[in-house]
């Protein structure tokens, strides 16, 4: 399910406030779907050259996350999504996700395949007018964001 709307963003730059009109896409991802695969599918279906994931609310059956030390962990749910933000480009998505288990213990990391939606995920993406690319950075060993206008 998808909704498209316009949103005003107010940016404070030094002493000037700028009002910028941007396109915002809102999606509902249904139970049993893989969150990462669904976001990649949304990118393809909507031909998004550059998107900024500003948030997601909902729940997961399980989360698969890569931690800062690059360890990949599976967390069994049910889990509540506490925070989610990142970028979307034709080369893939980069999403950091924080989830809480039934006791409220929070864990966060880089979203990997295998994170399954429990009841729903409501996802909001701002569409950027330029293009995002991901290019291998020899210093970090990861594909890093390059912003093209």
């Amino acid at each position: 399910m998808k909704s498209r709307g316009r949103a005003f963003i107010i940016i404070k730059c030094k002493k000037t406030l700028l009002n910028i009109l941007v396109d915002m896409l809102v999606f509902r991802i249904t139970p049993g779907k893989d969150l990462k695969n669904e976001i990649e599918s949304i990118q393809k279906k909507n031909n998004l050259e550059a998107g900024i994931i500003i948030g997601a609310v909902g729940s997961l059956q399980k989360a698969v996350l890569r931690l800062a030390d690059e360890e990949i962990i599976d967390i069994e749910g049910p889990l509540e999504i506490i925070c989610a933000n990142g970028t979307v480009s034709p080369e893939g998505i980069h999403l950091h996700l924080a989830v809480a288990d039934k006791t409220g213990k929070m864990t966060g990391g880089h979203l990997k395949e295998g994170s399954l939606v429990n009841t729903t995920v409501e996802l909001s993406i701002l569409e950027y007018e330029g293009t995002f690319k991901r290019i291998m950075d020899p210093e970090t060993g990861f594909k890093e964001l390059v912003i093209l206008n």
Side-chain angles (χ1 to χ4, degrees), residues 28-146:
R28 176 174 181 240
I29 302 172
T30 55
K33 303 284 177 128
D34 182 292
L35 182 58
K36 183 173 184 189
N37 291 339
E38 286 299 302
I39 297 170
E40 289 172 341
S41 177
I42 286 167
Q43 179 279 322
K44 287 179 181 81
K45 287 178 187 172
N46 291 277
N47 198 30
L48 280 173
E49 293 295 317
I52 302 160
I53 298 170
I54 59 170
V57 295
S59 63
L60 299 175
Q61 296 171 21
K62 79 176 229 180
V64 181
L65 303 174
R66 187 189 75 219
L67 303 178
D69 66 359
E70 298 188 39
E71 176 187 2
I72 295 176
I73 61 169
D74 289 13
I75 307 165
E76 292 300 323
L79 304 163
E80 286 292 324
I81 295 174
I82 304 303
C83 183
N85 53 54
T87 56
V88 178
S89 74
E91 283 84 24
I93 69 166
H94 183 195
L95 180 76
H96 286 196
L97 181 70
V99 294
D101 67 15
K102 64 183 179 182
T103 68
K105 177 184 171 196
M106 265 191 3
T107 306
H110 179 91
L111 178 68
K112 301 296 284 181
E113 283 186 14
S115 300
L116 303 178
V117 174
N118 188 29
T119 58
T120 193
V121 170
E122 299 162 7
L123 177 73
S124 300
I125 302 174
L126 292 180
E127 190 171 358
Y128 178 70
E129 289 195 13
T131 300
F132 290 166
K133 296 282 183 192
R134 293 214 159 265
I135 297 174
M136 183 58 74
D137 183 328
E139 187 176 333
T140 66
F142 291 102
K143 286 186 172 183
E144 301 292 1
L145 183 68
V146 175

